[in-house]
Amino acid sequence: MATGEFDTELDAYREQVERPLWRLFVAYAPEKAAWLTVGLVTSVLAYGTVLVAPIVLGTTIDAVFTQESAYALPLVPDAWLPIDRTAQFWFSTAVVAAALLGGALLQWVRGVAINYFAHGVMYAIRVDAYEKMQRLDMTFFDNKETGEVMSILNNDTSSLETFFDNALGDSVRIGVIVGGVTTALLYTNRQLALVTLGAVPLLVGFTWWFMRVIEPRYTRHRETIGDLNTRIENGLSGIELVKTTSTEDYENERVRGVSRDVFDAQMDVLKLSYFYRPGMELITGAALLVTFVLGGLWVFSGPPLFFSGTLTTGDFVVFMLLTQRLTGPMAQLSNIVDWYENAKASGKRICGLMDVPVRIEDRTDPVGLDDIEGHIEYDGVTFAYEDGETVLDSVSIDAAPGETVAIVGPTGAGKSTVAKLLLRLYDVSGGAVRIDGHDVRDVRLADLRSSVGYVSQDTFLFDGTVAENIRYGRFDADREAVLAAAEAAEAHEFIRSLPEGYDTRVGERGVKLSGGQRQRVAIARTVLQDPEILLLDEATSAVDTETEYLIQRSLDRLAADRTTLVIAHRLSTVKDADRIVVLDEGRVVERGTHEDLLAADGLYANLWGVQAGEIESLPDEFLVRTAESSANH
Ligand code: ADP
């Protein structure tokens, strides 16, 4: 899909997502339906118990103390109630105590159940999103979406969890308490209830206004946090540059600047947000006061204003106690809206990731590669990366089983791209790449990638021990096999001299090893993999002559009885290859043995001349092209 006006593919898919929360809920909630149900039912009951005390106390005052009405409790059959006033007093006390205890217990069950649900959903989403991410092809990652994916896996799943836990819980709380208070007040005294409940629309309106004015400040705050993170991340990854150029003060100043913005934006938010809760309390307080005045007048001198009928002391107490119960839950209203908005944005990003198509995966009945001979064939391969510029144009290369074929050419000619197509990191745009006659697109990906041993230009090591890095991908290999592989890779000597030998930790990305050492660990990994086909993207980074010799010797040994494709940047290493293919601007311009090519006196002979020091530089006709493609690179 063309990303068009969007920065990245992820953005483009995200924008198309509709009703993300509902979609995620339908996909993930059913598995955890039991926890959700228990959570919701106990929520309703738990918040319901909050209403018990005010109602029972009001009734008891009327029946036991002022004797304005008979003793009756809502939902309790009259037959169960005691007749004697003292007994009634203690019965009410027992009911309130039971409600308090039951409420506490229900709250606990509610919390556990809702969290099992919310965290369970988050766990499932995170695992699925990670698995999905692993299946995406390199084009996706070329666009540097790693930061975005990290944030989806961390922040977005967390904000969904907050939503499913807190927002769900608090919505139920508001529903039950506002619903319960409304019912109880209407049941107790309809006329006064209408006055008191006037607070509810006011509370909702105030929240709505508050959300509108605070939203731009929140947005600004989030932006400044984003800027700060980017700044810090850049400073950290460029720490070596910062130190070597002594720009610490400059960097400190930059971080101080954005930190100040964060502070200002945060204070703008806080100044306003501390206004919300008191505002809500003011509204309920006003409602309480009005109810107190009207109810109080009513109790001791009959119905005021346009009211009629009676209001007992107990009813009056019920009103006083219940009205106060409204503030707590209603003050969560703005949080709920906020959680909801955040969760919606997060849900969109998660669903967006789920929607990015997996372009490179096994077809329905893929061909297995059990017994492979190792015949590699590029047949008229044409290829362009996502930006559309043709990088390879009708490239044909043939390597018979056991042969070593070298690919050479100026920087940017397309050599590494040739390598990536064999591993099917990308799919060809035209033509085909075949192994033993099977199009790589038909071959089971896992088989393909385990039959091809790839030693790349930049060796990546995981933070772990040397032995773990050698064993990566062949996790069942025993110690002897690891040692033998290291020996074959000419790595045993240096590994033994490390502080803890094979158990030395290599640091993040292997920073504690030198470039040449990392490469030899990677070669040992490939020796252990024992692939039928070898793909060497020769490192451009300079290593000393001795290391180069060791590396070369181990690679020669490794290549001896396997089909090998060498992407060579230094020609000295390939003159013994069975065949050399010279690429220039994505096209095969020459092919043959080293001697053939020298005799032909074309690009290869000239590159050779420069590298061997026989001529000082490439003749102009070659130079111009090489410079251009280097600039592109
Ligand atoms: P070589 O290995 O011969 O130096 P490459 O195969 O790395 O050449 O690159 C060939 C061309 O493809 C270059 O112009 C380069 O800029 C471009 N290219 C390489 N990798 C990518 C990528 N991931 N996305 C887009 N263009 C790329």
Side-chain angles (χ1 to χ4, degrees):
M1 148 167 202
T3 44
E5 79 225 64
F6 301 106
D7 286 349
T8 66
E9 196 175 14
L10 205 48
D11 287 348
Y13 280 99
R14 189 191 64 211
E15 285 313 311
Q16 289 177 357
V17 173
E18 273 169 26
R19 298 204 293 168
L21 291 178
W22 179 243
R23 190 176 133 185
L24 290 169
F25 184 83
V26 171
Y28 290 95
E31 257 177 67
K32 302 266 172 269
W35 286 118
L36 179 63
T37 314
V38 173
L40 290 180
V41 171
T42 47
S43 295
V44 172
L45 295 176
Y47 296 127
T49 61
V50 170
L51 304 173
V52 172
I55 295 172
V56 171
L57 294 182
T59 309
T60 310
I61 287 172
D62 278 350
V64 178
F65 298 98
T66 64
Q67 289 182 293
E68 286 174 72
S69 57
Y71 188 63
L73 296 178
L75 306 178
V76 181
D78 284 345
W80 297 7
L81 301 175
I83 317 279
D84 173 55
R85 277 170 59 197
T86 316
Q88 286 172 349
F89 174 76
W90 287 115
F91 187 82
S92 291
T93 311
V95 170
V96 172
L100 289 176
L101 268 175
L105 191 68
L106 284 165
Q107 281 288 4
W108 179 77
V109 177
R110 181 208 86 82
V112 172
I114 284 282
N115 276 295
Y116 260 107
F117 168 73
H119 286 267
V121 166
M122 175 178 83
Y123 163 82
I125 290 180
R126 184 172 283 161
V127 168
D128 278 2
Y130 189 76
E131 283 175 3
K132 169 64 198 253
M133 181 274 287
Q134 298 243 48
R135 288 167 55 215
L136 291 170
D137 56 286
M138 294 307 293
T139 310
F140 178 82
F141 297 101
D142 286 345
N143 289 323
K144 299 245 180 303
E145 311 220 42
T146 40
E148 183 86 19
V149 175
M150 288 276 287
S151 136
I152 291 179
L153 293 172
N154 285 324
N155 310 342
D156 290 333
T157 46
S158 300
S159 88
L160 271 192
E161 184 252 322
T162 310
F163 173 73
F164 282 133
D165 171 6
N166 299 350
L168 217 57
D170 282 335
S171 307
V172 173
R173 182 161 165 229
I174 292 186
V176 171
I177 293 193
V178 174
V181 167
T182 307
T183 317
L185 292 187
L186 286 174
Y187 172 83
T188 310
N189 185 311
R190 190 174 304 253
Q191 299 169 53
L192 189 58
L194 293 176
V195 174
T196 311
L197 292 172
V200 175
L202 284 178
L203 292 169
V204 174
F206 178 67
T207 301
W208 181 81
W209 169 82
F210 171 77
M211 296 299 298
R212 272 197 27 178
V213 290
I214 203 160
E215 191 46 45
R217 302 189 186 201
Y218 268 137
T219 310
R220 168 95 195 98
H221 181 232
R222 276 194 291 265
E223 282 167 6
T224 56
I225 296 268
D227 291 348
L228 180 64
N229 286 342
T230 313
R231 203 58 282 142
I232 292 179
E233 199 183 294
N234 266 300
L236 273 178
S237 36
I239 189 73
E240 201 176 273
L241 177 67
V242 173
K243 286 193 181 297
T244 52
T245 48
S246 296
T247 45
E248 287 94 341
D249 288 346
Y250 174 70
E251 286 299 327
N252 284 344
E253 203 41 57
R254 291 216 280 189
V255 169
R256 190 170 297 139
V258 277
S259 288
R260 182 77 212 178
D261 292 344
V262 172
F263 176 81
D264 291 343
Q266 172 99 68
M267 287 316 293
D268 275 351
V269 167
L270 290 178
K271 273 185 266 180
L272 198 60
S273 71
Y274 277 116
F275 187 55
Y276 178 67
R277 177 98 198 191
M280 296 291 273
E281 273 166 10
L282 210 59
I283 295 173
T284 10
L288 188 73
L289 205 60
V290 171
T291 312
F292 177 74
V293 171
L294 293 176
L297 289 175
W298 199 334
V299 170
F300 66 65
S301 58
L305 307 173
F306 38 81
F307 297 110
S308 60
T310 53
L311 181 77
T312 65
T313 316
D315 292 343
F316 180 52
V317 170
V318 171
F319 266 84
M320 289 293 96
L321 294 177
L322 282 182
T323 310
Q324 282 176 311
R325 295 276 195 269
L326 285 176
T327 331
M330 289 299 279
Q332 292 301 325
L333 212 55
S334 77
N335 282 341
I336 294 178
V337 179
D338 212 38
W339 288 325
Y340 170 75
E341 293 294 340
N342 278 339
K344 207 165 80 177
S346 294
K348 269 190 147 189
R349 280 192 289 269
I350 292 172
C351 293
L353 177 67
M354 303 278 193
D355 288 348
V356 176
V358 176
R359 278 166 296 231
I360 296 194
E361 62 183 338
D362 283 340
R363 52 167 234 204
T364 0
D365 52 344
V367 179
L369 282 185
D370 296 332
D371 266 330
I372 93 160
E373 295 187 17
H375 179 200
I376 304 172
E377 190 188 359
Y378 287 74
D379 183 3
V381 169
T382 299
F383 178 74
Y385 286 101
E386 217 189 357
D387 54 19
E389 212 174 307
T390 305
V391 172
L392 297 179
D393 188 359
S394 311
V395 169
S396 293
I397 302 169
D398 197 281
E403 264 189 347
T404 294
V405 172
I407 299 170
V408 302
T411 303
K415 304 182 294 292
S416 301
T417 306
V418 167
K420 291 177 198 160
L421 293 180
L422 182 64
L423 286 159
R424 214 184 157 209
L425 292 179
Y426 302 87
D427 272 338
V428 298
S429 328
V433 179
R434 299 193 191 95
I435 289 186
D436 286 359
H438 304 297
D439 191 318
V440 291
R441 284 168 293 188
D442 296 335
V443 173
R444 185 174 297 122
L445 266 179
D447 284 6
L448 172 70
R449 290 177 183 165
S450 63
S451 329
V452 180
Y454 179 45
V455 182
S456 72
Q457 282 193 38
D458 33 23
T459 355
F460 181 90
L461 300 185
F462 278 105
D463 183 15
T465 66
V466 175
E468 280 165 0
N469 270 290
I470 296 180
R471 209 182 270 129
Y472 193 78
R474 284 280 183 277
F475 299 103
D476 52 352
D478 57 23
R479 194 87 179 172
E480 281 74 54
V482 170
L483 258 63
E487 266 182 54
E490 308 275 358
H492 181 64
E493 292 304 316
F494 96 78
I495 296 175
R496 250 192 10 188
S497 67
L498 292 172
E500 290 171 67
Y502 282 82
D503 299 320
T504 311
R505 298 189 72 87
V506 299
E508 203 175 331
R509 300 176 156 265
V511 286
K512 294 187 185 164
L513 302 184
S514 74
Q517 290 173 335
R518 277 204 295 275
Q519 249 169 38
R520 280 176 283 166
V521 171
I523 294 171
R525 181 194 291 157
T526 312
V527 173
L528 198 59
Q529 180 190 348
D530 190 22
E532 289 81 359
I533 294 171
L534 200 57
L535 187 57
L536 306 176
D537 198 345
E538 194 186 68
T540 40
S541 59
V543 287
D544 61 87
T545 342
E546 190 191 331
T547 309
E548 189 185 333
Y549 169 73
L550 290 177
I551 291 176
Q552 200 50 50
R553 194 165 74 175
S554 65
L555 288 179
D556 286 347
R557 202 176 299 142
L558 193 57
D561 48 359
R562 315 163 205 258
T563 317
T564 306
L565 217 54
V566 194
I567 312 299
H569 302 274
R570 273 189 300 271
L571 304 185
S572 56
T573 58
V574 300
K575 63 179 199 304
D576 298 329
D578 295 304
R579 203 132 15 92
I580 298 170
V581 174
V582 185
L583 270 189
D584 188 22
E585 294 191 317
R587 261 175 248 214
V588 178
V589 290
E590 293 173 69
R591 62 177 89 223
T593 62
H594 176 68
E595 286 71 29
D596 295 344
L597 293 173
L598 281 188
D601 199 26
L603 178 58
Y604 182 85
N606 280 280
L607 287 170
W608 176 260
V610 175
Q611 290 203 358
E614 286 166 15
I615 53 177
E616 244 161 45
S617 79
L618 282 179
D620 280 355
E621 58 186 296
F622 295 122
L623 202 56
V624 173
R625 268 214 313 267
T626 314
E628 266 173 10
S629 38
S630 307
N632 287 339
H633 201 59

